[in-house]
Amino acid sequence: MILIDDRMGSKELLPLFRPYDVTVELSHLEYADIAFFGNGPTGPELVGIERKTLHDLVNSMRSRRLSGYQLPGLMAAYAWVYIVVEGVWRAGDGGEK
């Protein structure tokens, strides 16, 4: 079973799983947008996936929300943590955004 956070920014992922006949449930996740149990080296282990757009990633780094709140929480709650960054990055002529 895959758990998807029931808040905005996560719950719109639910329809993406329907074509694959995967059991998915909306749930309030304190940390991560998606969570599921995977097969770890010693048995089942909880996997957490945090989904961010480029804009959200930069903002959460600037505000220190990512390093001060989200990453410590993710690392404490899950055996395996992945951050998926969405978006297209296009650097300017001088390398700037």
Side-chain angles (χ1 to χ4, degrees), residues 3 5 9-11 20-23 25-26 35 45-46 58-59 61 70-71 74-75 79 86 88-89 92:
L3 299 175
D5 189 54
S10 304
K11 66 181 179 181
Y20 303 103
D21 196 30
V22 176
T23 304
E25 182 178 303
L26 288 177
E45 293 185 325
L46 197 54
V58 171
N59 284 342
M61 289 169 59
Q70 289 181 308
L71 287 178
L74 286 163
M75 299 303 289
E86 296 179 5
V88 178
W89 178 266

Side-chain angles (χ1 to χ4, degrees), residues 2-83:
I2 298 173
L3 299 175
I4 297 179
D5 189 54
D6 59 2
R7 293 173 283 189
M8 290 299 290
S10 304
K11 66 181 179 181
E12 60 270 8
L13 296 172
L14 184 64
L16 300 176
F17 290 92
R18 287 196 181 117
Y20 303 103
D21 196 30
V22 176
T23 304
V24 181
E25 182 178 303
L26 288 177
S27 179
H28 180 76
L29 300 176
E30 188 65 33
Y31 302 99
D33 295 298
I34 300 171
F36 60 91
F37 278 97
N39 292 323
T42 60
E45 293 185 325
L46 197 54
V47 177
I49 301 173
E50 178 68 20
R51 173 185 178 226
K52 293 205 172 289
T53 63
L54 281 170
H55 180 64
D56 186 33
L57 177 65
V58 171
N59 284 342
S60 63
M61 289 169 59
R62 284 184 176 158
S63 70
R64 296 199 167 104
R65 183 176 62 116
L66 181 64
S67 63
Y69 173 74
Q70 289 181 308
L71 287 178
L74 286 163
M75 299 303 289
Y78 301 99
W80 297 87
V81 174
Y82 296 91
I83 298 177

